[in-house]
Amino acid sequence: MERTFIMIKPDGVERKLVGEIIGRIEKKGFNITRAKLFQPSRELVEEHYIEHREKPFFEEIVDYITRGPVMAMEVEGESAIEVMRQMIGSTDPKKALPGTIRGDLAYSLTENIIHGSDSKESAERELKLWFG
Ligand code: CDP
Ligand code: MG
């Protein structure tokens, strides 16, 4: 069993896609083992996206993720990290395949509705950061 960090971003919550996204995760057979809906601080989001701190879009994504509540989740299942990344789809929703969460439900590169950890190391780091 593997655990990954999944976050429905503020646009996903604003657009009332929480049920749709959780439904897909549950139907796949994964367990949601921890979850919290809250508006994250800038400090938390800056730490979360630390790998992107030198990128031109860093300030924009911190503003975006802190503008309202997010649904932060721990998702558990076999190969959950890789399988969730496949279910989420490409970073740019215009390139994400139909059938993926971003391919079906998003259209903006920045506002792509969901985050999923990209490796075991990221999952461990992000779960600790968001849930302690
Ligand atoms: O989320 P993912 O791991 O697929 O992509 P990332 O490369 O780690 O980028 C993190 C987030 O920054 C993306 O999910 C987008 O919300 C945003 N982003 C952006 O606004 N503009 C880019 N050129 C790349 C990413
Ligand atoms: Mg990433």
Side-chain angles (χ1 to χ4, degrees):
M1 281 293 176
E2 204 170 69
R3 286 174 179 190
T4 187
F5 175 67
I6 299 297
M7 170 183 43
I8 303 175
K9 298 176 176 181
D11 52 325
V13 176
E14 286 158 13
R15 292 176 55 209
K16 305 198 188 299
L17 294 171
V18 172
E20 162 78 29
I21 293 168
I22 287 180
R24 289 180 182 221
I25 295 169
E26 290 191 326
K27 275 181 249 170
K28 185 70 178 176
F30 290 154
N31 297 316
I32 294 164
T33 41
R34 289 190 282 186
K36 57 180 178 185
L37 180 77
F38 72 112
Q39 186 164 2
S41 67
R42 290 191 79 83
E43 290 82 351
L44 174 57
V45 175
E46 283 169 2
E47 187 61 34
H48 173 76
Y49 279 130
I50 193 92
E51 66 174 311
H52 295 308
R53 69 191 174 283
E54 307 297 341
K55 306 267 174 64
F57 56 84
F58 184 69
E59 282 301 312
E60 189 186 356
I61 58 175
V62 176
D63 287 346
Y64 158 46
I65 302 296
T66 57
R67 80 176 182 214
V70 301
M71 187 75 182
M73 293 179 279
E74 178 182 71
V75 173
E76 179 198 73
E78 210 180 306
S79 302
I81 298 167
E82 189 189 342
V83 175
M84 277 306 308
R85 289 284 292 190
Q86 284 170 359
M87 287 169 63
I88 287 169
S90 300
T91 303
D92 183 352
K94 292 180 220 55
K95 296 186 184 125
L97 294 175
T100 64
I101 293 168
R102 285 170 174 163
D104 290 346
L105 306 173
Y107 47 85
S108 156
L109 171 56
T110 297
E111 299 200 13
N112 58 10
I113 72 170
I114 186 166
H115 165 84
S117 307
D118 63 7
S119 66
K120 277 192 202 302
E121 295 68 36
S122 304
E124 202 171 308
R125 186 185 79 85
E126 292 168 6
L127 285 169
K128 199 167 175 195
L129 180 64
W130 288 81
F131 288 104

